[in-house]
Amino acid sequence: MSDVLKNMYLEERALLKERVPLSIPLCVCIEPTNICNFKCVMCFHGNNEYAEEAKPLRNMDGACFEKTIMDLKDWTDEVGEKIKLIKLYSLGEPLLHPEICNMVKSMKELNICEQIEITTNASLLTREVAERLVDDGLDILRISVYAVDEEHNKYITKSHITPREIMEKVRYIREYRDKTGKTAPRIFAKMIDTYTDENQLFLDMYRDVVDIVGIDQPFHLNSGENDVFENLYQSNAGDAFEKSMSTNMFTERKACRYPFTHMTVRNDGSVVVCCIDWLKQTCIGNVNRHSLKEIWESKTLYHFRCNMLNTKGSNLEVCKRCELPLRDLPEDQMDDFPVEKLSYQYDI
């Protein structure tokens, strides 16, 4: 995440190690759908091998969503504390879910979190949806832009919507928000670093359209059939890799904060530690069988946390090549946290 984008999350931060174990996660991701209308070359959706393994692709049903948010309501009422952030997003395009606006509205009415965030490619951000998201109280809208050059956008996303069309959709929600006198959602746009002049074209295009605009560094993920850098940068992959942080990505290992701060409810109710765990290799339970509080305080998650502290993810397939801990802010670092401070309440 670029420095300018981090600013949205820097308010009232404390040293994480001084707060763990947490009575309730700081962030909960709820996946409305794992379907996407883009097939980006660097994403699992654009990779036949992973897309096949990740099936079924479907929307979260109403019963599962209701169970999830009512669990959060009971839990937050019990501990007298709200979730800091709920993300209505994981591995699909959230605006594909026909009830996405009602999801935002329901969570706002329950008053279970301080902020609700959606990340979207904005291709489906119709005027009706834009107005509903503003009216229903969405707090943060993150726009993932993949290119501002039309041909480059076609190559990456395998879609026919143009960068200009996406920008105009984003412009409308900003204008509607401002016209109605509201300050939310805060809107920001990000694009993966192209290491070319296209970066500046993107910044110029969105500077007056959104609240915050920035460039993200690419993650060096193993996406199966091909290397992400080869897919994204083609003949310039080597040069892009050298310019990215990935060159020195494993000179040291760090413990990931996610087992201690986050949980993600996937579209089928599976609860995973990591929001980018496409294949559910970090599954620690299912909201349809246990409450989220029980899963958070479970023996299963306890062992996962201990393993992360003891091995820093080196023996976990999904974690051992992940860059996320290397991008943590200093105050989020979990290395050297004493395992003996951890415990569990439920033998599940």
Side-chain angles (χ1 to χ4, degrees):
M1 185 183 293
S2 66
D3 290 340
V4 69
L5 299 184
K6 287 178 183 175
N7 289 338
M8 293 189 70
Y9 302 99
L10 291 179
E11 298 177 1
E12 299 180 7
R13 298 185 67 87
L15 289 176
L16 181 60
K17 285 193 289 189
E18 294 179 357
R19 299 185 60 191
V20 170
L22 300 173
S23 59
I24 198 164
L26 298 177
C27 177
V28 175
C29 296
I30 302 174
E31 182 180 66
T33 184
N34 63 346
I35 305 169
C36 191
N37 59 331
F38 282 8
K39 306 299 178 203
C40 295
V41 295
M42 68 290 186
C43 177
F44 303 113
H45 279 292
N47 183 300
N48 292 332
E49 175 187 336
Y50 272 73
E52 186 63 31
E53 288 187 46
K55 288 181 177 177
L57 303 178
R58 68 182 192 185
N59 292 338
M60 177 179 279
D61 64 43
C64 183
F65 178 74
E66 185 72 12
K67 171 64 163 57
T68 299
I69 62 173
M70 292 312 298
D71 271 9
L72 292 175
K73 175 62 175 173
D74 292 341
W75 195 3
T76 53
D77 284 350
E78 178 183 335
V79 301
E81 184 179 349
K82 295 180 187 179
I83 305 291
K84 292 288 186 184
L85 178 66
I86 294 181
K87 297 183 180 183
L88 270 175
Y89 167 77
S90 182
L91 296 171
E93 168 48 53
L95 300 191
L96 279 169
H97 198 296
E99 297 297 319
I100 190 66
C101 296
N102 288 331
M103 289 177 166
V104 173
K105 184 177 182 180
S106 295
M107 289 194 297
K108 275 293 179 180
E109 291 173 347
L110 288 177
N111 196 29
I112 54 178
C113 63
E114 295 181 7
Q115 296 186 102
I116 301 171
E117 175 183 303
I118 287 177
T119 296
T120 174
N121 61 40
S123 63
L124 303 174
L125 189 62
T126 64
R127 292 193 170 199
E128 178 184 2
V129 170
E131 292 174 10
R132 280 288 310 275
L133 291 177
V134 173
D135 294 342
D136 292 337
L138 182 68
D139 297 288
I140 303 170
L141 182 66
R142 292 168 54 105
I143 310 297
S144 295
V145 177
Y146 298 102
V148 293
D149 174 82
E150 191 167 334
E151 289 305 312
H152 191 200
N153 190 63
K154 284 182 182 178
Y155 165 72
I156 291 178
T157 67
K158 301 298 184 286
S159 72
H160 296 292
I161 190 167
T162 68
R164 178 64 56 175
E165 289 172 318
I166 290 174
M167 186 272 289
E168 290 300 337
K169 289 174 181 288
V170 178
R171 184 192 298 278
Y172 181 78
I173 192 170
R174 168 69 180 270
E175 290 176 346
Y176 180 79
R177 182 199 70 182
D178 294 350
K179 180 180 69 175
T180 56
K182 294 183 170 66
T183 58
R186 293 189 69 189
I187 307 166
F188 67 90
K190 63 182 180 66
M191 186 178 75
I192 296 175
D193 202 332
T194 65
Y195 304 103
T196 71
D197 292 342
E198 192 172 358
N199 285 0
Q200 191 59 51
L201 294 175
F202 162 71
L203 296 173
D204 292 343
M205 176 181 283
Y206 277 90
R207 181 172 290 111
D208 297 326
V209 176
V210 298
D211 300 305
I212 301 176
V213 59
I215 303 294
D216 263 359
Q217 287 285 302
F219 271 78
H220 189 252
L221 298 173
N222 177 9
S223 61
E225 295 169 348
N226 294 296
D227 182 271
V228 165
F229 276 75
E230 292 178 359
N231 289 352
L232 190 57
Y233 298 106
Q234 298 177 284
S235 61
N236 296 320
D239 184 50
F241 181 82
E242 289 298 319
K243 292 177 180 176
S244 76
M245 70 165 289
S246 298
T247 305
N248 300 310
M249 60 186 290
F250 293 123
T251 54
E252 62 175 323
R253 297 203 64 87
K254 292 185 178 181
C256 181
R257 73 185 189 279
Y258 270 42
F260 308 92
T261 59
H262 286 59
M263 66 191 325
T264 294
V265 183
R266 298 291 304 279
N267 62 327
D268 63 351
S270 298
V271 179
V272 296
V273 170
C274 181
C275 59
I276 59 172
D277 178 13
W278 182 256
L279 299 179
K280 304 175 188 172
Q281 295 174 348
T282 64
C283 186
I284 50 174
N286 192 296
V287 71
N288 296 308
R289 294 191 288 273
H290 296 98
S291 73
L292 290 178
K293 180 180 185 293
E294 289 172 333
I295 295 170
W296 184 250
E297 298 179 359
S298 68
K299 185 177 181 179
T300 300
L301 184 50
Y302 164 78
H303 283 307
F304 193 102
R305 289 166 174 158
C306 292
N307 188 23
M308 176 56 67
L309 292 173
N310 289 330
T311 72
K312 296 180 172 54
S314 61
N315 66 343
L316 300 169
E317 188 63 32
V318 70
C319 301
K320 64 185 181 182
R321 288 189 54 79
C322 181
E323 295 176 34
L324 194 62
L326 303 182
R327 303 185 183 217
D328 278 347
L329 297 170
E331 54 266 43
D332 289 334
Q333 203 248 71
M334 282 298 296
D335 289 340
D336 304 320
F337 182 84
V339 175
E340 56 269 22
K341 286 191 175 182
L342 300 177
S343 62
Y344 63 90
Q345 298 296 319
Y346 300 99
D347 192 14
I348 57 174

